[in-house]
Amino acid sequence: MMAAVMDWRLSAAAPTGLSEEQSAYRDAARDFARAELAPHAAQWDAHSTFPREAIAHAGELGFCGLYVDEAAGGSGLSRLDAAIVFEELAAADPSTAAFISIHNMATWMFAAHAGEAVRAQWSADLASGRKLASYCLTEPGAGSDAASLRTRAVRDGGDYVIDGTKAFISGAGSTDLLVVMARTGGDGARGISAFAVPADAAGIVYGRKEEKMGWNSQPTRGIAFEGVRVPASHRLGQEGDGFKIAMKGLDGGRLNIASCSLGAAQGALDAARRYMGERRQFGKKLAEFQALQFKLADMATQLVAARQMVHTAARKVDAATSDATVWCAMAKRFATDAGFSICNEALQIHGGYGYIREYPIERLLRDCRVHQILEGTNEIMRVIIARHLLNSEEELR
């Protein structure tokens, strides 16, 4: 039965036109996910275990610096290549895959914008997974309205002194480097700069580990910066570039999270197909009931459509097209909504069994729910799309 499932997954991916190399990346990620994520994902979820060893193994395969330039120690792959990898990892464990995706985003932002000396100090270790990074944008009073953040970095001689608070930071307390957005100028987006801050710097205080609905294999904490001093050489880009750097990073981050939703949906669809072939009611297999056949067909159609949109958006980012940001917003909105819907339908097909932890469905559902919120809520994605439509003459084609 498993061979048939995997054959369907291959055929579902075929219309995206994967190259031989991309198929090899996909297969390597799938093999890693089966061997090192799938057997442990339920336990990591149940015990809130952050699997640094498994993430380090992912780094050995190049999965922690997928689209970081080779000169900075990364794999130098495209955003489409990365999307393919994240989907395969998330089919087994969306929570751990999502952290790896966030680490990739933060590592790319650092490697692309750090000065030469600081990049030489950190990039290779980050891209290899020997060290891990967290992305620090959200604050208690600045979520969707990220440009209103209040954390401040004040120049003091050759240093900056950072004061403020961040919220909902993935990996906080367990990572090595923080990519921090802080205000160096006036109000609004143009007053924000970006900094690379060692996670053990004096004056950093980590809050309690949040108890969450899902994403339990990665810690989430608030961070207080109390007079944290960092050298000016740790600024990423120029003063005032921070918001631009953050938004460019989030284009990739939205693709990454969308890809993780694809993976969760694929894992749920595979599980539903297996269950329908095994479970019997009223004297016949569930797979023989037309109502469930139609449900499965709709789930597959949603998944393939979402995958096509994510891959198209990834190609837009790789080509640096002027409409890449809006395509990333559309892909993130569509794929994360579709992913949750598919997981929910798969749970319904499982009936009561889908609701218990013996089966992976409830974990896939819990883990992918947050994808509709983070990297910009899906309501904010709609704002981005609508603004493009109303303020641009460019067509979305």
Side-chain angles (χ1 to χ4, degrees), residues 81-94:
D81 299 336
I84 293 163
V85 169
F86 292 135
E87 177 178 348
E88 291 300 331
L89 299 181
D93 184 356

Side-chain angles (χ1 to χ4, degrees), residues 181-301:
M181 302 298 149
R183 190 166 300 284
T184 53
D187 294 342
R190 294 183 181 180
I192 296 171
S193 300
F195 299 89
V197 182
D200 60 355
I204 293 179
V205 179
Y206 294 100
R208 68 178 179 87
K209 185 165 70 171
E210 302 289 356
E211 297 181 7
K212 307 190 295 290
M213 173 180 172
W215 271 27
N216 291 317
S217 72
Q218 53 169 295
T220 302
R221 292 183 171 90
I223 307 177
F225 296 86
E226 300 175 356
V228 176
R229 187 174 289 271
V230 295
S233 61
H234 282 231
R235 189 186 66 224
L236 305 179
Q238 301 299 313
E239 274 202 8
D241 284 350
F243 194 77
K244 180 173 62 177
I245 291 171
M247 293 303 104
K248 191 172 182 180
L250 281 175
D251 279 349
R254 286 164 183 161
L255 288 176
N256 296 350
I257 289 301
S259 300
C260 289
S261 284
L262 297 179
Q266 183 70 71
L269 181 61
D270 289 347
R273 292 179 71 242
R274 288 194 296 270
Y275 187 78
M276 285 175 61
E278 298 164 358
R279 176 73 166 167
R280 301 184 70 89
Q281 288 288 280
F282 303 102
K284 56 184 180 181
K285 292 181 179 180
L286 295 188
E288 298 178 54
F289 289 89
Q290 190 177 68
L292 297 184
Q293 293 173 2
F294 284 5
K295 187 184 290 286
L296 200 69
D298 287 344
M299 292 160 63
T301 302

